[in-house]
CSV table of all heavy atoms in Angstrom, one decimal:
chain,number,residue,atom,x,y,z
W,54,ILE,N,21.7,-5.1,6.6
W,54,ILE,CA,21.9,-6.2,5.7
W,54,ILE,C,20.8,-6.4,4.7
W,54,ILE,O,21.0,-6.6,3.5
W,54,ILE,CB,22.2,-7.5,6.5
W,54,ILE,CG1,23.5,-7.4,7.2
W,54,ILE,CG2,22.1,-8.8,5.6
W,54,ILE,CD1,23.8,-8.5,8.2
W,55,ALA,N,19.5,-6.2,5.2
W,55,ALA,CA,18.3,-6.3,4.3
W,55,ALA,C,18.4,-5.2,3.3
W,55,ALA,O,17.9,-5.4,2.2
W,55,ALA,CB,17.0,-6.1,5.2
W,56,LEU,N,19.0,-4.0,3.6
W,56,LEU,CA,19.1,-2.9,2.7
W,56,LEU,C,20.0,-3.3,1.4
W,56,LEU,O,19.8,-2.8,0.3
W,56,LEU,CB,19.6,-1.7,3.3
W,56,LEU,CG,18.7,-0.9,4.2
W,56,LEU,CD1,19.4,0.3,4.8
W,56,LEU,CD2,17.4,-0.6,3.6
W,57,GLU,N,21.0,-4.2,1.6
W,57,GLU,CA,21.8,-4.6,0.5
W,57,GLU,C,20.9,-5.2,-0.5
W,57,GLU,O,21.2,-5.1,-1.7
W,57,GLU,CB,22.8,-5.6,1.1
W,57,GLU,CG,23.9,-5.0,1.8
W,57,GLU,CD,25.0,-6.0,2.3
W,57,GLU,OE1,24.6,-7.2,2.4
W,57,GLU,OE2,26.1,-5.6,2.4
W,58,GLY,N,19.9,-5.9,-0.1
W,58,GLY,CA,18.9,-6.5,-1.1
W,58,GLY,C,18.2,-5.6,-1.9
W,58,GLY,O,18.0,-5.8,-3.1
W,59,ILE,N,17.9,-4.4,-1.3
W,59,ILE,CA,17.2,-3.3,-2.1
W,59,ILE,C,18.1,-2.8,-3.2
W,59,ILE,O,17.7,-2.6,-4.3
W,59,ILE,CB,16.8,-2.2,-1.1
W,59,ILE,CG1,15.6,-2.7,-0.2
W,59,ILE,CG2,16.3,-1.0,-1.9
W,59,ILE,CD1,15.2,-1.7,0.8
W,60,GLU,N,19.4,-2.6,-2.8
W,60,GLU,CA,20.3,-2.0,-3.8
W,60,GLU,C,20.6,-3.0,-4.8
W,60,GLU,O,20.7,-2.6,-6.0
W,60,GLU,CB,21.6,-1.6,-3.0
W,60,GLU,CG,21.5,-0.4,-2.1
W,60,GLU,CD,22.7,0.1,-1.5
W,60,GLU,OE1,23.4,-0.8,-0.8
W,60,GLU,OE2,23.1,1.2,-1.7
W,61,ARG,N,20.7,-4.3,-4.5
W,61,ARG,CA,20.9,-5.3,-5.5
W,61,ARG,C,19.6,-5.4,-6.5
W,61,ARG,O,19.8,-5.6,-7.7
W,61,ARG,CB,21.1,-6.7,-4.9
W,61,ARG,CG,22.6,-7.0,-4.6
W,61,ARG,CD,22.8,-8.4,-4.4
W,61,ARG,NE,22.0,-9.0,-3.4
W,61,ARG,CZ,22.2,-8.9,-2.0
W,61,ARG,NH1,23.4,-8.4,-1.6
W,61,ARG,NH2,21.4,-9.5,-1.1
W,62,PHE,N,18.4,-5.3,-5.9
W,62,PHE,CA,17.2,-5.4,-6.7
W,62,PHE,C,17.2,-4.2,-7.7
W,62,PHE,O,16.9,-4.4,-8.9
W,62,PHE,CB,16.0,-5.2,-5.7
W,62,PHE,CG,14.7,-5.1,-6.5
W,62,PHE,CD1,14.1,-6.2,-7.2
W,62,PHE,CD2,14.1,-3.8,-6.5
W,62,PHE,CE1,12.9,-6.0,-7.8
W,62,PHE,CE2,12.9,-3.7,-7.2
W,62,PHE,CZ,12.3,-4.7,-7.9
W,63,VAL,N,17.5,-3.0,-7.3
W,63,VAL,CA,17.6,-1.9,-8.2
W,63,VAL,C,18.6,-2.1,-9.3
W,63,VAL,O,18.3,-1.9,-10.5
W,63,VAL,CB,17.9,-0.6,-7.5
W,63,VAL,CG1,18.2,0.6,-8.5
W,63,VAL,CG2,16.7,-0.3,-6.5
W,64,GLN,N,19.8,-2.6,-8.9
W,64,GLN,CA,20.8,-2.8,-10.0
W,64,GLN,C,20.4,-4.0,-10.9
W,64,GLN,O,20.6,-3.9,-12.2
W,64,GLN,CB,22.1,-3.2,-9.2
W,64,GLN,CG,22.8,-2.1,-8.5
W,64,GLN,CD,24.0,-2.6,-7.6
W,64,GLN,OE1,24.2,-3.7,-7.4
W,64,GLN,NE2,24.7,-1.6,-7.1
W,65,GLU,N,19.9,-5.1,-10.4
W,65,GLU,CA,19.5,-6.2,-11.2
W,65,GLU,C,18.4,-5.9,-12.2
W,65,GLU,O,18.3,-6.4,-13.3
W,65,GLU,CB,19.1,-7.4,-10.4
W,65,GLU,CG,20.4,-8.0,-9.6
W,65,GLU,CD,19.9,-9.1,-8.6
W,65,GLU,OE1,18.8,-9.4,-8.5
W,65,GLU,OE2,20.9,-9.5,-7.9
W,66,ARG,N,17.5,-5.1,-11.8
W,66,ARG,CA,16.4,-4.6,-12.5
W,66,ARG,C,16.8,-3.7,-13.7
W,66,ARG,O,16.0,-3.6,-14.7
W,66,ARG,CB,15.4,-4.0,-11.6
W,66,ARG,CG,14.1,-3.6,-12.1
W,66,ARG,CD,13.3,-3.1,-11.1
W,66,ARG,NE,13.5,-1.6,-10.9
W,66,ARG,CZ,12.7,-0.8,-10.1
W,66,ARG,NH1,11.9,-1.3,-9.4
W,66,ARG,NH2,13.0,0.5,-10.1
W,67,GLY,N,18.1,-3.2,-13.6
W,67,GLY,CA,18.5,-2.4,-14.7
W,67,GLY,C,17.8,-1.0,-14.7
W,67,GLY,O,17.6,-0.3,-15.7
W,68,ASP,N,17.4,-0.6,-13.5
W,68,ASP,CA,16.7,0.7,-13.3
W,68,ASP,C,17.5,1.8,-13.8
W,68,ASP,O,18.7,1.9,-13.4
W,68,ASP,CB,16.3,0.9,-11.9
W,68,ASP,CG,15.2,1.9,-11.7
W,68,ASP,OD1,15.1,2.8,-12.6
W,68,ASP,OD2,14.5,1.8,-10.7
W,69,THR,N,17.0,2.7,-14.6
W,69,THR,CA,17.8,3.8,-15.1
W,69,THR,C,17.6,5.1,-14.3
W,69,THR,O,18.2,6.1,-14.5
W,69,THR,CB,17.5,4.1,-16.6
W,69,THR,OG1,16.1,4.4,-16.7
W,69,THR,CG2,17.9,2.9,-17.5
W,70,SER,N,16.7,5.0,-13.3
W,70,SER,CA,16.5,6.1,-12.5
W,70,SER,C,17.6,6.2,-11.4
W,70,SER,O,18.5,5.4,-11.3
W,70,SER,CB,15.1,6.0,-11.7
W,70,SER,OG,15.1,4.9,-10.9
W,71,LEU,N,17.6,7.2,-10.6
W,71,LEU,CA,18.6,7.4,-9.6
W,71,LEU,C,18.6,6.3,-8.6
W,71,LEU,O,17.4,5.9,-8.2
W,71,LEU,CB,18.5,8.8,-8.9
W,71,LEU,CG,18.7,10.0,-9.8
W,71,LEU,CD1,18.3,11.3,-9.0
W,71,LEU,CD2,20.1,10.1,-10.3
W,72,PRO,N,19.6,5.8,-8.1
W,72,PRO,CA,19.5,4.8,-7.0
W,72,PRO,C,19.0,5.4,-5.7
W,72,PRO,O,19.0,6.6,-5.6
W,72,PRO,CB,21.0,4.4,-6.8
W,72,PRO,CG,21.8,5.5,-7.3
W,72,PRO,CD,21.0,6.1,-8.5
W,73,PRO,N,18.5,4.6,-4.8
W,73,PRO,CA,18.0,5.2,-3.6
W,73,PRO,C,19.1,6.0,-2.8
W,73,PRO,O,20.2,5.6,-2.8
W,73,PRO,CB,17.6,4.0,-2.7
W,73,PRO,CG,17.6,2.8,-3.6
W,73,PRO,CD,18.4,3.2,-4.8
W,74,THR,N,18.7,7.1,-2.2
W,74,THR,CA,19.6,7.9,-1.4
W,74,THR,C,19.8,7.2,-0.1
W,74,THR,O,19.1,6.3,0.3
W,74,THR,CB,19.1,9.3,-1.2
W,74,THR,OG1,17.9,9.2,-0.4
W,74,THR,CG2,18.8,10.0,-2.5
W,75,TRP,N,20.8,7.7,0.7
W,75,TRP,CA,21.1,7.1,2.0
W,75,TRP,C,19.8,7.4,2.9
W,75,TRP,O,19.4,6.5,3.6
W,75,TRP,CB,22.3,7.9,2.6
W,75,TRP,CG,22.7,7.4,4.0
W,75,TRP,CD1,23.5,6.3,4.2
W,75,TRP,CD2,22.3,7.9,5.2
W,75,TRP,NE1,23.6,6.2,5.6
W,75,TRP,CE2,22.9,7.1,6.2
W,75,TRP,CE3,21.5,9.0,5.6
W,75,TRP,CZ2,22.7,7.4,7.6
W,75,TRP,CZ3,21.3,9.2,7.0
W,75,TRP,CH2,21.9,8.4,7.9
W,76,PHE,N,19.2,8.5,2.8
W,76,PHE,CA,18.1,8.9,3.6
W,76,PHE,C,16.9,7.9,3.3
W,76,PHE,O,16.2,7.4,4.1
W,76,PHE,CB,17.7,10.3,3.5
W,76,PHE,CG,16.5,10.7,4.3
W,76,PHE,CD1,16.6,10.9,5.7
W,76,PHE,CD2,15.2,10.8,3.8
W,76,PHE,CE1,15.5,11.2,6.5
W,76,PHE,CE2,14.1,11.1,4.6
W,76,PHE,CZ,14.3,11.3,5.9
W,77,GLU,N,16.7,7.7,2.0
W,77,GLU,CA,15.6,6.8,1.6
W,77,GLU,C,15.8,5.4,2.1
W,77,GLU,O,14.9,4.7,2.5
W,77,GLU,CB,15.5,6.8,0.0
W,77,GLU,CG,15.1,8.0,-0.6
W,77,GLU,CD,15.2,8.2,-2.1
W,77,GLU,OE1,16.1,7.5,-2.6
W,77,GLU,OE2,14.6,9.0,-2.7
W,78,LEU,N,17.1,4.9,2.0
W,78,LEU,CA,17.4,3.6,2.6
W,78,LEU,C,17.2,3.5,4.1
W,78,LEU,O,16.6,2.6,4.6
W,78,LEU,CB,18.8,3.2,2.2
W,78,LEU,CG,19.1,2.9,0.8
W,78,LEU,CD1,20.6,2.8,0.5
W,78,LEU,CD2,18.3,1.7,0.3
W,79,VAL,N,17.6,4.6,4.8
W,79,VAL,CA,17.4,4.6,6.3
W,79,VAL,C,15.9,4.7,6.6
W,79,VAL,O,15.4,4.0,7.6
W,79,VAL,CB,18.2,5.7,6.9
W,79,VAL,CG1,17.8,5.8,8.5
W,79,VAL,CG2,19.7,5.5,6.8
W,80,THR,N,15.2,5.4,5.7
W,80,THR,CA,13.7,5.4,5.9
W,80,THR,C,13.1,4.0,5.7
W,80,THR,O,12.1,3.6,6.5
W,80,THR,CB,13.1,6.5,5.0
W,80,THR,OG1,13.6,7.7,5.2
W,80,THR,CG2,11.6,6.6,5.1
W,81,ALA,N,13.5,3.4,4.7
W,81,ALA,CA,13.0,2.0,4.5
W,81,ALA,C,13.3,1.1,5.6
W,81,ALA,O,12.5,0.3,6.1
W,81,ALA,CB,13.6,1.4,3.2
W,82,LEU,N,14.5,1.2,6.2
W,82,LEU,CA,14.9,0.4,7.3
W,82,LEU,C,14.0,0.7,8.5
W,82,LEU,O,13.6,-0.2,9.2
W,82,LEU,CB,16.4,0.8,7.7
W,82,LEU,CG,17.1,-0.1,8.8
W,82,LEU,CD1,18.6,0.0,8.5
W,82,LEU,CD2,16.8,0.3,10.1
Side-chain angles (χ1 to χ4, degrees):
I54 290 169
L56 290 178
E57 287 182 330
I59 292 173
E60 291 183 304
R61 272 197 307 276
F62 172 76
V63 171
Q64 290 170 350
E65 289 170 4
R66 185 173 89 171
D68 196 336
T69 57
S70 63
L71 295 174
T74 65
W75 183 86
F76 182 77
E77 291 166 338
L78 291 170
V79 171
T80 300
L82 188 158

